[in-house]
Amino acid sequence: MSPNDVLLRTVTKAAIVIILTFSIYLFFGGHHNPGGGFIGGLSVAAGLVLLFLAFDIETVRKNIPIDFKKMAGFGVLIAVLTGVSSLFFGEPFLNQTFGHFHLPIFGETELATAVLFDVGVALAVIGTAITIILSISEGK
Amino acid sequence: MVFLLLFMIFLPFIFAILTPFLYKLFAPRVHTGWFVAIVPLSVFVLLLQYIPVISNGQTIYQSVPWIPSLGVNITAYLDGLSLIFGLLISGVGFLVVLYSIYYMSKEREALHNFYVYMLLFMGAMFGLVFSDNILVLYVFWELTSISSFLLIAYWYQRKNSRYGAQKSMLITIFGGLAMLSGLIMLSMMSDSYNIREILSEVHVVTESPLFLPAMILLLLGAFTKSAQFPFSIWLPDAMEAPTPISAYLHSATMVKAGIYLVARFTAVFGGSSEWFWIVSGVGLITLVYGSINAVNQKDLKALLAYSTISQLGLIMSLLGLGSASLYFGNGDESTVYAMAIIASMFHLINHSTFKGSLFMVIGIIDHETGTRDIRKLGGLMSLMPISFTLTIIGSFAMAGLPPFNGFLSKEMFFTSILTAVEQPVFGMKMFGLFVPIIAWIASVFTFIYCMILVFKTFTGKHQPEKIDKVAKEAPIGMLIPPAILAILVIGIFFFPNVVGKNFLQPALMAILPIHSEGVGLTIKAWHGWNTELFMTIGVVLFGSIMYIFLKRWTVLYHFFPKTLTLNHLYNQSLEGTEMMSYKVTNKYMTGKMRDYLVYIFGFMIVILGGALWLSDGITFLGSNQAGVSIYEGVLLGAMVISGFAVLLSKSRLTAIIALGALGYLVSLFFVIFRAPDLALTQLVVETVTSALFLLCFYHLPKLRKEVSRIQFKLTNAVISIGVGTVVTLLALAVNNHRLFASISNFFEQSYTLAGAKNIVNAILVDFRGFDTMLEILVLCIAGLGVYTLIKLQLAGRDRKE
């Protein structure tokens, strides 16, 4: 890293907010528009990579103290659990359901268990991507 | 009491389980053999009780289901044929166990192994001869091969034992497997697994096209087991086994399993000229081959091994000649030929008695002098008088001299041969005259080696300096078993009709069912001045002269080239097969990934392309084609250009960038074909992979970093163009042969069914969520894989340093 990268770091600080927001939008929009867990997860990972590039790995780790390997495993676990939970209602494995509810702030909103599954997908994707990138960069 | 016979088959197996415990408890105080001897003795006594029943022409059948759904039952079928074998196995078995008690040292030998193998063998032989079910028969057949293998290699520290065991295993198992396929064919033809039912379906079998293959395969099994030419080579090498084993397995019982098989299936296959010629022809060749080779042996056991081969050939040829009886049906000619079958069974019994006793005596000589080499032995007559007497009885019986039982069966052999000439059948007219001459020559050689056996060992000068031990007579316990057999040898000569009435007649009924009333049979020692007697006198005269001038003409054996012997052939072919498979494997298993890819893709071209070609599936443009827009054309052009750039670029960096360009162009394709999710994912993933490629590129080792174009290789070009063409053709063909409507209509209801307007997402997380779940698992595993590869590799490197 060059010693004087103030410009990069400042731009990163601004950009990361936009990237993460966009990622979350992609994630939640996935149900009705292009997007979803996979793309949302990948773009979150891209944002994190930008952080790694602008700051060094140790700093990022200190600020985001997450073990990404666990995150990947956790994602798979959520996905499996959403599948298992449908068994409790006497439905086949991985049976998804949805409904329209009236929530205080959002008004009339559609809630779907598929989104929970997608959360698992997104976490697995983020965890895996960051694990790969971190281990390669640390390995060399 | 009903299943007593069946129980007797399994008695040796049960006892084999108990033997190690008995050995542990009583060794070395009591010789384990004393316990084992109970088994054959009790079976023998039991079988003796059946003699009156069987000689009345009755049979006994007992059966318990084993795999009833497949029609496989364990059976005990007792008729004249199996009674002879059963008595031989149990009787000789008892004597051999008795002999082994004195032969095998209870301090030095692993007796529990010895007796377990032996009991296994005994049980297998009982099962073999009593089985009516051909599959069970095969099971026991292989069990005899395996236990014989174990017994030959009993002294497994010796190289020769292991060699002999391997050889006998390879040859007999080869034959056994051939026999199995023959038996399966037989069951296909007759639609039954039971020999008795097959016999009742003979007319179906004879007319079936599988008749000849089944016969040849079955005979392969019989010939390998009974050491017939050219499969006889394993028997001399099996002499590495302890002498009781040689006496039991390789003279009296196992080698006769093939004889049993031929006798048992004579009623099925006999009466055809092929069976007649193969069985009697191979038998005669074996007879001559064995007797000529026996004369040249220096080891007494090897001499006996070749003499066994020769005698088995004699029995086999008699069975072959006798099968012609079935061709004639029920008549006078038929009866004449049936005498050959009787002669074969008679000689079988005789051979077991005198050969068993001879082996035991040779074992005694080996045991008491420490050598079996006839060049070192001599002048033992006064030192070992009882052994000498026993050897004379055994040898003269083998040579076919009166007053021993071998004389009777040899005369019957000559009679059968001469009958076959007098009443020609199956084109015997052509070769008929040769058959008695061959038999006569073989008899002369038999006479010579019998004389060698007696006189080279017991007469001449005693050479105490050449042998390791001080020669003396064996302990009485060792002499009793061969003495009992020798008494039988003489006893059968004087009372042959007892054997004839009780054993030979029922056996004939079993082998040739058409003679269910039996044939009028009296065996006479003196039958007048006829051709057979003159032949025997000729044998004695000629044999004596040749024996006297033995040294003059045995030099002829040295002229026979070593490279032409069957053993040489066997060793060469074994070595050759090993070398060849080694070479072939080395040829195509190059260890180079590239070559394997060439094979894989080559097969893909041949099989997929071949299937397309053969099924006429190649079509180019069908009715399903959509129009081509300008954007698609331009994109396609760009992709072709970047594809060629990857192939033709000089540096790797260019290739990586061209690959990236290709990836982005693909995502543009997704845009054009209205797949926004795919386009997004493709964009991100392509970026990541390009970055990873760059990383790999950056870390290439400096030394061999080469900046050069991919070398052109014709094979690679052909293969890659071939694969491209085949896959393109396949895709076109698939596109033009749509057989069913697409199911995508269903997914259009994604909003009503899954509450999602994005169909792709609905499919991924709802309709086909299972795939997605496993895909993220794959991703997770890949990530962990990368992590462990990098971290663990570092740890490993540290440890090595």
Side-chain angles (χ1 to χ4, degrees), chain B residues 92 95-96 99-100 103 234-256 294 297 299-312 350-368 371-372 384 387 390-395 398 449 453 457-458 474 478-479 481-483 485-486 489:
Chain B
V92 180
L95 294 177
V96 162
Y99 176 77
S100 71
Y103 188 87
W234 66 268
L235 192 62
D237 283 301
M239 290 302 128
E240 294 299 327
T243 303
I245 296 312
S246 310
Y248 189 37
L249 273 68
H250 306 129
S251 69
T253 53
M254 188 177 96
V255 287
K256 293 190 174 121
Q297 299 305 315
D299 181 25
L300 286 176
K301 260 175 122 177
L303 188 151
L304 285 183
Y306 277 106
S307 89
T308 304
I309 293 172
S310 157
Q311 305 278 323
L312 290 170
N350 295 343
H351 178 249
S352 296
T353 54
F354 64 69
K355 192 52 71 64
S357 104
L358 276 177
F359 263 109
M360 290 179 190
V361 176
I362 299 304
I364 289 172
I365 293 170
D366 188 16
H367 202 261
E368 300 304 323
T371 183
R372 297 193 308 250
M384 303 169 79
S387 306
L390 295 174
T391 313
I392 284 213
I393 295 171
S395 302
M398 187 152 73
Y449 70 70
L453 184 61
T457 319
F458 289 98
M478 227 163 167
L479 287 167
L485 287 173
V489 168

Side-chain angles (χ1 to χ4, degrees), chain A residues 31-33 35 96 110 128 136, chain B residues 677 695 755 757-758 765 779:
Chain A
H31 209 49
H32 294 308
N33 298 305
Q96 312 284 14
E110 185 198 339
T128 307
I136 289 176
Chain B
D677 293 87
L695 194 73
K757 286 177 188 154
N758 182 350
V765 300
L779 204 64

Side-chain angles (χ1 to χ4, degrees), chain B residues 21 288 539 550 667 673 717 749 757 789:
Chain B
F21 296 105
V288 178
V539 165
L550 192 65
S667 76
F673 289 136
Q749 314 168 46
K757 286 177 188 154
L789 267 180

Side-chain angles (χ1 to χ4, degrees), chain B residues 239-307:
Chain B
M239 290 302 128
E240 294 299 327
T243 303
I245 296 312
S246 310
Y248 189 37
L249 273 68
H250 306 129
S251 69
T253 53
M254 188 177 96
V255 287
K256 293 190 174 121
I259 305 275
Y260 170 79
L261 196 77
V262 170
R264 185 52 92 199
F265 285 98
T266 293
V268 180
F269 295 109
S272 66
S273 61
E274 292 92 348
W275 179 268
F276 178 82
W277 277 112
I278 295 174
V279 176
S280 50
V282 170
L284 282 172
I285 292 170
T286 315
L287 170 64
V288 178
Y289 164 83
S291 61
I292 289 180
N293 266 303
V295 175
N296 194 31
Q297 299 305 315
K298 299 288 171 276
D299 181 25
L300 286 176
K301 260 175 122 177
L303 188 151
L304 285 183
Y306 277 106
S307 89

Side-chain angles (χ1 to χ4, degrees), chain A residues 61-80:
Chain A
R61 281 219 159 154
K62 212 181 288 166
N63 287 288
I64 311 173
I66 297 173
D67 187 344
F68 288 98
K69 294 189 290 295
K70 281 183 190 162
M71 189 189 222
F74 197 59
V76 177
L77 185 70
I78 291 178
V80 175

Side-chain angles (χ1 to χ4, degrees), chain B residues 23 40 117 123 190 278 458 613 681 687:
Chain B
Y23 177 77
Y117 301 159
S190 60
I278 295 174
F458 289 98
W613 180 264
T681 316
T687 313

